Amino acid sequence: MVIPFDNTTALAALASVIPLIIIYLLRPKPVKLSIPSLMFLMQVEKQKKRFSSIRKLLKDPLFLIQLLVLILLSTAAAAPFYTSQEDLSDEHTVIVIDASASMQAGNRFDDATRLAGGYLSKKNSVILAKSSPEIVVENTGSSQASDALDSIEPTATVADLSGAMSEGMRLLSQRGGTMVVISDFASWEGEDPVSTKQLAQSYGIDTAFVDVSSAVGNVGIIDGWIDTEDGNYVYTCVVKNYNDFTERVDIEIANPAGSVKRSLNVGPSDTAQFRVNPLSSGITSVTIADEDTLPADNNAYVVIPTQSDTKTLFVSDEEKLPSKIALSTLASVDISTAEGIPSSTDDYRIMVIGLKNRSLTSSEVERLDGFLNNGGRVVVVASQMLTGGNATEQFQSMLPVIPGNVAEPQDILGIDLEVVQSSSLTDDVKFNEIAMYRYLNATPRNDATVLVATEQGDPLLAHWSVGDGTLVYFGFNDDLGDPNDELDNPWNNFHNLPEYPVLWAKLTAWLGGSGDISDYNLETGDITSLAREMTVQTPTGTITTQKVLFEQVGTYKIGGRTVAVNLYSDRESDTTRQGSEVMERVSDQNRDSPDIVRQDSYEAKNYLDNYLIMLAILLAILEILIIRNRGEL
């Protein structure tokens, strides 16, 4: 049988035996001398041969040992191996734990983690089934896996059990193993987990379902929505009673204006609605006063951005600008114009800086800073007046971007734009139809939110917080240029597109607090991607991330913006649902005994290098013993 090697080039090291042989051949053979007691050297009776022969070398044990050591080490470096058919290993166990909201009911999650500890094996992986699967530990020992089980917590999302099982199948795809899914099997999103179990077993992965459900009563908030009536926001809340008896539900509603209490009589398996009218600006919380088995649906939160009139000051040294025209056509905007920032800005909610021929003076920058720190909203339209040679350092430091020089793409059609982060401001705006002939090379600052950028990453629409206010960088210069000067052309064609006034309408509505309210009120399981890593205050602590997964009910603070997150799931709140239906289908599936489409064994490589190295070490020890026995050590 020919032994294959993974690294055949290492066999060249076998040439090292040649110097060894030469050294032993050239080594002089010891000569026997007769020495009288008077220590005078007598003539050597017979001249011996000076060099050793090959025959003598083969009788020298040290030579043979050193030769074998070189051969063994050179062969080990070539990584010899033999192949064999091995059974799929069951030493790797993947444990999938349902971390959805319904697992908070009673002791379900505690039971799940306790039962999971009984399935630990030599190698373990733990996966949390949430709206997006999370691998907690992978290929780790039982001790580390046990510590991981003690540290995990349930979320307030709907779990994608099938997605988590698919992750487990991926981890076991090479050598197989066992997958254990522990859940109440009350609800899920995505594929049916029973079908995914059948698929896993057809690939030779032994899959077991463990049901931890138990029927318990619950009263929870299962839905809520915001409407507008007579210019005010109105919140409608839906409460459901999952008990088999009528429940008196005490509700506490709190907002910055104060708190009120209400009581509802909700029949068995029935719902009741109530309204909060009008909603105050800020955070409104709705709480079911009596604690029950599922805390995730006992609270709901609503965020209404601070509202005020949208009286706007447009500061510019040009008479006709598309941005000014767009703003003047909006019925919701009361626009005033000025060539500079006045000494008093108390009457204005929004300020637009559209200077084209000069930058702000130091005194104007001071007034602008005061306006922002007092909660003002500012939009700065890009122009060459923002570059380092024109704008003051103080003004530049207030911007959410670091402006550079004016860039002119070589392509006559302009440069492509991309939406970095989707929001109500970017929806329904075809940025791919905007041709950018010139723009400012810019770098976003830390904590700035970039919505639109060039394909090279230069921000064109970005915002961040300054004091209690918000400053927006509008990178689309609206200077129309000089029609009599062929070199002085517009920077872009955005002002010719119908989306241009739409974006200004969205921007002023958002800055004035009357933007799309859905951006401030989300449901668990939603995901928001940020332009870069930012510090986010969650209901359970502070994290630094570039992708926010809303997993808990409560309020999140992201870059100065507060977002309310609620569960709103009838199936997750229904703690009377059990996993019996799923387990019955699993039993039927097991009786059907689906065909195994994957082999029960795999071809394994069994490497011999470690054994060769161990043998070489033993020979080296034997060599030391021989030398010591000769008295040469």
Side-chain angles (χ1 to χ4, degrees):
M1 181 180 68
V2 178
I3 299 294
F5 299 88
D6 254 2
N7 184 19
T8 55
T9 57
L11 293 175
L14 289 172
S16 62
V17 303
I18 298 176
L20 178 68
I21 296 174
I22 294 175
I23 290 173
Y24 269 86
L25 286 175
L26 295 179
R27 186 184 67 174
K29 182 176 178 59
V31 179
K32 293 181 180 180
L33 298 176
S34 298
I35 303 176
S37 58
L38 297 176
M39 298 302 293
F40 289 106
L41 295 177
M42 303 297 290
Q43 181 180 2
V44 178
E45 295 180 356
K46 186 176 181 181
Q47 182 71 37
K48 300 294 183 180
K49 291 182 179 179
R50 298 201 52 165
F51 303 112
S52 299
S53 63
I54 295 294
R55 184 179 300 174
K56 296 295 184 180
L57 287 180
L58 297 177
K59 293 181 180 180
D60 190 340
L62 291 182
F63 170 76
L64 294 177
I65 290 175
Q66 293 170 1
L67 181 66
L68 284 175
V69 168
L70 289 176
I71 293 175
L72 289 173
L73 293 178
S74 300
T75 306
F81 65 89
Y82 68 92
T83 60
S84 62
Q85 291 295 321
E86 302 288 344
D87 292 335
L88 289 170
S89 172
D90 59 357
E91 293 183 340
H92 187 182
T93 301
V94 171
I95 299 176
V96 177
I97 298 181
D98 185 351
S100 64
S102 61
M103 290 291 287
Q104 296 183 25
N107 297 319
R108 293 182 184 182
F109 197 78
D110 291 338
D111 290 343
T113 54
R114 176 179 54 80
L115 292 172
Y119 290 96
L120 297 178
S121 60
K122 184 177 181 180
K123 291 183 180 180
N124 305 276
S125 298
V126 177
I127 301 175
L128 283 184
K130 307 184 297 184
S131 56
S132 297
E134 176 188 348
I135 299 178
V136 182
V137 290
E138 180 178 348
N139 283 326
T140 188
S142 58
S143 177
Q144 294 91 331
S146 179
D147 291 341
L149 291 174
D150 291 337
S151 65
I152 58 179
E153 297 287 344
T155 66
T157 63
V158 180
D160 183 1
L161 288 175
S162 180
M165 293 172 65
S166 296
E167 281 294 311
M169 292 169 60
R170 181 184 62 81
L171 297 179
L172 298 174
S173 60
Q174 293 299 318
R175 297 192 177 186
T178 301
M179 181 161 56
V180 180
V181 183
I182 307 176
S183 170
D184 57 11
F185 300 105
S187 83
W188 59 82
E189 62 181 10
E191 298 294 329
D192 185 351
V194 178
S195 300
T196 306
K197 179 181 184 295
Q198 184 176 18
L199 177 63
Q201 293 189 157
S202 71
Y203 278 89
I205 298 174
D206 187 18
T207 305
F209 278 8
V210 179
D211 181 16
V212 293
S213 64
S214 58
V216 293
N218 179 44
V219 175
I221 300 171
I222 64 167
D223 203 359
W225 59 89
I226 303 171
D227 294 317
T228 56
E229 291 184 4
D230 300 326
N232 296 317
Y233 287 112
V234 179
Y235 175 64
T236 303
C237 184
V238 181
V239 176
K240 186 170 183 177
N241 176 20
Y242 295 93
N243 296 304
D244 55 4
F245 53 86
T246 299
E247 186 79 39
R248 176 186 171 90
V249 183
D250 294 324
I251 306 291
E252 183 174 349
I253 304 167
N255 56 39
S259 62
V260 296
K261 294 183 179 180
R262 291 185 181 180
S263 294
L264 303 172
N265 289 321
V266 188
S269 301
D270 200 1
T271 62
Q273 297 183 7
F274 65 92
R275 308 176 79 201
V276 181
N277 184 12
L279 282 172
S280 301
S281 298
I283 302 172
T284 298
S285 63
V286 177
T287 303
I288 296 177
D290 297 328
E291 296 183 358
D292 56 22
T293 59
L294 183 59
D297 62 2
N298 288 345
N299 297 277
Y301 299 87
V302 181
V303 170
I304 302 298
T306 302
Q307 298 186 43
S308 64
D309 60 40
T310 52
K311 191 171 183 180
T312 302
L313 175 65
F314 194 96
V315 179
S316 179
D317 50 7
E318 291 281 349
E319 287 294 328
K320 294 182 180 180
L321 288 176
S323 55
K324 185 190 297 185
I325 297 173
L327 289 170
S328 63
T329 61
L330 300 177
S332 59
V333 175
D334 181 8
I335 187 171
S336 301
T337 61
E339 294 185 358
I341 298 178
S343 58
S344 177
T345 57
D346 296 339
D347 295 336
Y348 302 104
R349 176 62 175 168
I350 299 174
M351 189 182 301
V352 179
I353 309 297
L355 295 172
K356 307 302 178 185
N357 304 307
R358 72 173 184 89
S359 185
L360 294 177
T361 64
S362 297
S363 59
E364 287 178 313
V365 172
E366 292 290 343
R367 291 193 287 271
L368 181 65
D369 185 61
F371 178 72
L372 283 164
N373 280 281
N374 289 328
R377 308 293 194 254
V378 175
V379 180
V380 177
V381 182
S383 75
Q384 66 274 15
M385 291 296 104
L386 299 182
T387 59
N390 297 311
T392 64
E393 292 185 5
Q394 184 183 3
F395 182 37
Q396 286 190 326
S397 66
M398 296 167 63
L399 300 175
V401 302
I402 303 173
N405 297 323
V406 178
E408 297 188 18
Q410 295 181 352
D411 191 340
I412 60 174
L413 297 179
I415 194 170
D416 292 335
L417 309 183
E418 59 182 17
V419 176
V420 178
Q421 179 177 329
S422 296
S423 73
S424 61
L425 296 178
T426 59
D427 292 343
D428 303 321
V429 179
K430 300 177 181 179
F431 290 98
N432 59 334
E433 295 184 0
I434 301 174
M436 295 294 297
Y437 309 119
R438 279 185 289 178
Y439 60 93
L440 290 182
N441 280 324
T443 304
R445 297 185 188 273
N446 294 333
D447 294 335
T449 300
V450 178
L451 302 180
V452 181
T454 67
E455 57 186 350
Q456 284 79 18
D458 295 280
L460 292 174
L461 188 60
H463 64 83
W464 74 342
S465 298
V466 179
D468 293 331
T470 301
L471 194 148
V472 178
Y473 170 72
F474 193 87
F476 303 95
N477 188 351
D478 58 345
D479 188 357
L480 297 177
D482 186 354
N484 299 319
D485 187 351
E486 295 181 356
L487 300 178
D488 188 11
N489 294 317
W491 286 33
N492 55 78
N493 70 336
F494 192 14
H495 57 277
N496 293 325
L497 301 180
E499 288 90 352
Y500 187 76
V502 172
L503 180 56
W504 276 107
K506 288 173 172 284
L507 189 57
T508 54
W510 178 68
L511 291 174
S514 58
D516 191 347
I517 207 68
S518 62
D519 288 342
Y520 299 88
N521 296 274
L522 306 176
E523 295 185 17
T524 56
D526 289 342
I527 299 176
T528 293
S529 297
L530 307 177
R532 61 183 44 78
E533 284 194 347
M534 297 177 62
T535 299
V536 178
Q537 181 69 44
T538 75
T540 57
T542 301
I543 60 173
T544 301
T545 182
Q546 192 170 352
K547 180 180 290 186
V548 184
L549 175 58
F550 299 101
E551 297 182 333
Q552 302 294 339
V553 173
T555 57
Y556 290 70
K557 292 185 177 180
I558 308 171
R561 185 167 62 102
T562 302
V563 176
V565 179
N566 298 296
L567 176 58
Y568 292 160
S569 173
D570 182 18
R571 291 176 62 87
E572 286 295 316
S573 293
D574 188 357
T575 54
T576 63
R577 296 174 60 90
Q578 300 185 64
S580 55
E581 183 269 338
V582 170
M583 302 307 291
E584 288 176 2
R585 289 196 289 129
V586 168
S587 298
D588 294 340
Q589 182 190 94
N590 292 338
R591 284 195 296 269
D592 294 339
S593 300
D595 295 332
I596 302 298
V597 299
R598 176 177 172 152
Q599 299 295 328
D600 293 329
S601 62
Y602 69 99
E603 186 177 84
K605 283 184 178 182
N606 302 283
Y607 288 94
L608 303 174
D609 50 348
N610 289 335
Y611 300 103
L612 297 178
I613 292 173
M614 291 176 59
L615 183 57
I617 292 174
L618 292 176
L619 289 173
I621 295 173
L622 178 61
E623 179 184 8
I624 294 174
L625 294 175
I626 294 175
I627 294 175
R628 182 177 181 182
N629 187 55
R630 288 180 176 182
E632 299 176 4
L633 184 62

